[in-house]
Amino acid sequence: MWAFILCFICAEVGGEVDAIETVKVKEGGFLNLHPGLHDLNGDVQILWTFESGRQSTRVAQMHQGKIYTHYDKRLTSRVQLDRETGILTISDIRTNESGLYKALIIINTHISGWRYKVDVYAPVSVPAIRSSSAVTVHTSTGASEEICSVLCSVRNDQDVSISWYKGSEMMNQTSNPDLSIILSLPLELHYNDSEIYSCMTANPVSNKSVLLHMREICQRHEDCLDHCCGTEALIRLVLSGLVGIATVVFLVDHVRICSVQRRAAASV
């Protein structure tokens, strides 16, 4: 009966169900879909279905005042259909539940439909920043400037973008439809740059950002002078100790050899 009515609507009154509203929701959250009704008085029947690819699944139904949500075992425990509003709610929504959701409504003798294109997104990953290179460039005035190149990277996913920010201002951004790659975005900075930089990854429902710690990522030689000098002094001290030990061993061995030689000469 419902399959027949659905086919009838698609064929005869398709204009009433052609409008599609797009909904973007975060994985693990709640999906709430309204059937487009403001008054459910009278003899109201509602059928919610879900389509993914060529597969269509019945999700929930209200018929003669009763609610039915037992159709799909994957959804049964997470589906609610509000008797007063006809709103469909799916809790703990998952990425593989992205697709086309349809509401078929019959009020007395009037038939209408509503469709939602639902995109469920996993939360974006936290980006990682690393130094890619450090170069010295010479200006037209003959002065030299040190430049550090950094790279921000993140695992690519659906509709993910990666951006560099200076303060609250976005400097550049990139994305790629190839989900098998690591998404990366470079940035070149002067060592004496005192601005605050951050890298942000985002999709339509979430974002993550990481601050660039300049002195940690882009280390200059003079940034570690104290550390380097301390290490160098320790190395020199160790080497001096080894030389001293070698000298003592040599002298003891030399004295022993000379003593043996003198005893041998005396016994002749």
Side-chain angles (χ1 to χ4, degrees):
M1 175 65 176
W2 278 103
F4 171 79
I5 294 175
L6 184 57
C7 292
F8 172 81
I9 289 178
C10 293
E12 301 296 333
V13 291
E16 293 190 55
V17 296
D18 277 348
I20 300 179
E21 183 175 335
T22 299
V23 176
K24 300 179 186 295
V25 62
K26 187 176 180 179
E27 182 182 31
F30 288 87
L31 173 65
N32 294 297
L33 302 178
H34 199 288
L37 300 175
H38 300 287
D39 185 3
L40 296 188
N41 293 328
D43 182 17
V44 179
Q45 300 180 62
I46 300 176
L47 173 65
W48 281 99
T49 58
F50 165 62
E51 292 183 10
S52 179
R54 296 183 178 181
Q55 185 177 2
S56 180
T57 304
R58 190 178 299 190
V59 176
Q61 180 178 342
M62 183 169 70
H63 179 61
Q64 295 181 347
K66 295 183 179 180
I67 302 296
Y68 303 91
T69 60
H70 62 279
Y71 301 108
D72 191 331
K73 293 181 180 179
R74 298 170 302 171
L75 299 173
T76 298
S77 62
R78 300 184 285 120
V79 171
Q80 290 182 342
L81 183 59
D82 190 278
R83 193 185 310 274
E84 303 297 326
T85 63
I87 292 177
L88 176 72
T89 300
I90 302 178
S91 61
D92 190 23
I93 192 71
R94 298 158 189 177
T95 54
N96 62 358
E97 291 161 2
S98 298
L100 186 64
Y101 288 77
K102 295 182 179 180
L104 175 63
I105 306 108
I106 301 177
I107 303 178
N108 299 320
T109 59
H110 178 72
I111 301 174
S112 62
W114 204 268
R115 301 197 295 179
Y116 291 92
K117 181 182 179 296
V118 175
D119 293 317
V120 183
Y121 293 89
V124 292
S125 303
V126 178
I129 301 175
R130 64 179 177 85
S131 173
S132 60
S133 65
V135 297
T136 300
V137 297
H138 299 279
T139 65
S140 57
T141 60
S144 61
E145 295 180 352
E146 292 180 278
I147 294 178
C148 176
S149 295
V150 296
L151 194 67
C152 185
S153 304
V154 72
R155 178 178 58 84
N156 199 17
D157 208 339
Q158 181 184 4
D159 295 339
V160 167
S161 64
I162 187 169
S163 311
W164 275 111
Y165 280 82
K166 180 168 68 173
S168 59
E169 177 186 358
M170 187 174 69
M171 302 174 63
N172 48 23
Q173 184 182 73
T174 190
S175 60
N176 195 309
D178 185 356
L179 304 186
S180 66
I181 67 167
I182 298 297
L183 197 59
S184 299
L185 189 62
L187 180 68
E188 290 191 345
L189 298 170
H190 294 278
Y191 279 96
N192 58 357
D193 195 328
S194 60
E195 296 287 346
I196 297 176
Y197 294 90
S198 62
C199 179
M200 175 183 288
T201 55
N203 64 18
V205 298
S206 65
N207 63 74
K208 300 282 178 60
S209 62
V210 174
L211 281 176
L212 169 62
H213 297 285
M214 188 74 166
R215 291 182 64 87
E216 294 179 10
I217 301 296
C218 297
Q219 289 191 354
R220 304 172 70 181
H221 178 70
E222 52 265 36
D223 288 339
C224 65
L225 280 180
D226 293 339
H227 170 72
C228 296
C229 290
T231 303
E232 184 179 353
L234 179 60
I235 292 173
R236 289 182 178 179
L237 181 61
V238 171
L239 290 176
S240 298
L242 292 175
V243 171
I245 293 172
T247 302
V248 170
V249 171
F250 173 78
L251 291 176
V252 169
D253 191 56
H254 179 72
V255 170
R256 182 181 60 81
I257 292 173
C258 290
S259 177
V260 170
Q261 290 177 346
R262 283 198 296 270
R263 286 199 298 269
S267 62
V268 174

